[in-house]
Amino acid sequence: MNRLVLTSTLLALSATAMAAPKAKPTPLPPATLPAVGDALPLAGTQSWATKDWLYDVPSDSDAAGKVVVHWFCGPKQKTCADDLARIITLRETGRVYVVAHIDGSKAQAKKLDPIRESEGVGHGTLAFGAATTKLMKQLALTGPASIVVDVDGKVQLVSTGSSPADLDARDAKINDLVKSIRAYKVTVGETPANVKPGDKFNLSISIALSPWLKWSATSPSEYVLTVPPDFKCDAKSLKGDQLKPTGPSLTASVSCTAPKGSYEARGELRFGYTTGSGGDGLGTEGGKWKFEVKP
């Protein structure tokens, strides 16, 4: 009897569960234009619907260390064809990643394609189709319009004007951002001060890589110090295990002593790094110190 009751109960619960309506997913809010200073992911916010891509989806590794330009246009806008040439010129600098959003079909998108197939591989991609049309409608954009994002992922400009003056201002902003891109920051250690004969002092240089770079595993770093012959230092050069980066930072430091006198010392730090897409870079930075040792 107990088994019959238990079976009936389970069947009733199962029927209830089957009859219960599935919860509908909460619809995303309409997309809105970001403001200057807002963070904007490479593929847009969550409310930017999935699109059809003429090439691959936007690549974080390809866009790393570049100014990102989200460019919105459509075949019905006469000024889009003129602005296309400007966007291609910006892309060709090698420091701009273009995500084009074209309000039209695949065939129409190809006519306004700033990537130009193999010419721009690794320098951007292009979205088209119904989802792009919906996005541009929600953003109230027809084109040409641009959202400019700096290397830190923050919006620096939202340009919706299509006059030559508007486009000139946008291009100038992008070029200024490109000029300010730095692969790394150099800090030369302070010049020794109030040093007495026999006192230890440090001669150092530090490198801080930008977030999109990594230290090279194949190009060893080396620090070479050039000092007067009467200096006594714990080393005149550092390399290999003597130069190990801590995260994005690498510091080369040598401790010395010197007798009374006026001196000049020089240091040179050579290092290698790689980009997210596998490219290699080499850096050489130097420091110079002029100081006096006196009792």
Side-chain angles (χ1 to χ4, degrees):
M1 182 66 181
N2 289 339
R3 289 182 179 178
L4 290 174
V5 172
L6 179 59
T7 301
S8 299
T9 302
L10 291 174
L11 288 172
L13 290 173
S14 177
T16 301
M18 292 176 64
K22 293 183 179 180
K24 294 182 179 180
T26 303
L28 294 173
T32 57
L33 279 176
V36 171
D38 288 350
L40 184 65
L42 184 60
T45 64
Q46 191 177 11
S47 59
W48 290 28
T50 302
K51 306 172 185 64
D52 294 318
W53 297 98
L54 192 58
Y55 305 101
D56 291 335
V57 299
S59 168
D60 286 315
S61 60
D62 288 341
K66 297 176 182 177
V67 175
V68 174
V69 179
H70 288 274
W71 185 61
F72 300 84
C73 250
K76 296 180 181 179
Q77 306 304 316
K78 295 181 180 180
T79 50
C80 282
D82 295 332
D83 196 30
L84 174 62
R86 289 174 176 258
I87 294 296
I88 291 174
T89 298
L90 291 167
R91 188 215 71 202
E92 287 176 344
T93 65
R95 306 309 295 269
V96 174
Y97 187 92
V98 179
V99 182
H101 307 264
I102 304 302
D103 178 10
S105 66
K106 185 175 183 179
Q108 291 171 322
K110 286 185 175 181
K111 294 180 180 179
L112 289 172
D113 175 17
I115 309 308
R116 294 300 197 226
E117 297 183 350
S118 60
E119 291 181 15
V121 169
H123 296 283
T125 188
L126 183 151
F128 66 94
T132 301
T133 297
K134 179 181 178 181
L135 172 65
M136 292 179 63
K137 183 177 181 179
Q138 290 181 350
L139 296 178
L141 298 177
T142 54
S146 303
I147 300 174
V148 180
V149 184
D150 204 357
V151 293
D152 61 357
K154 300 291 183 65
V155 175
Q156 297 299 310
L157 177 70
V158 177
S159 173
T160 58
S162 59
S163 71
D166 291 325
L167 301 180
D168 286 344
R170 179 204 61 190
D171 294 354
K173 179 65 174 180
I174 293 171
N175 286 322
D176 285 345
L177 292 173
V178 166
K179 290 176 183 177
S180 67
I181 295 174
R182 296 290 182 271
Y184 53 82
K185 180 182 178 182
V186 184
T187 302
V188 177
E190 293 183 359
T191 299
N194 302 318
V195 180
K196 298 180 180 180
D199 285 352
K200 284 188 175 183
F201 52 88
N202 292 322
L203 303 173
S204 65
I205 299 176
S206 295
I207 305 294
L209 289 182
S210 293
W212 60 87
L213 302 176
K214 294 182 179 180
W215 296 106
S216 172
T218 57
S219 300
S221 301
E222 183 177 14
Y223 181 49
V224 178
L225 192 64
T226 303
V227 296
D230 47 358
F231 273 40
K232 293 183 179 180
C233 301
D234 49 23
K236 295 293 179 66
S237 67
L238 302 174
K239 54 185 175 181
D241 290 341
Q242 296 173 307
L243 284 175
K244 288 187 175 182
T246 302
S249 299
L250 173 67
T251 298
S253 182
V254 170
S255 179
C256 301
T257 63
K260 178 183 177 181
S262 296
Y263 299 103
E264 179 176 313
R266 298 191 305 276
E268 184 178 83
L269 179 57
R270 296 186 287 270
F271 54 94
Y273 53 88
T274 61
T275 65
S277 57
D280 294 320
L282 295 173
T284 300
E285 297 295 336
K288 183 183 291 187
W289 302 273
K290 290 184 178 181
F291 58 98
E292 186 176 2
V293 177
K294 57 184 180 181

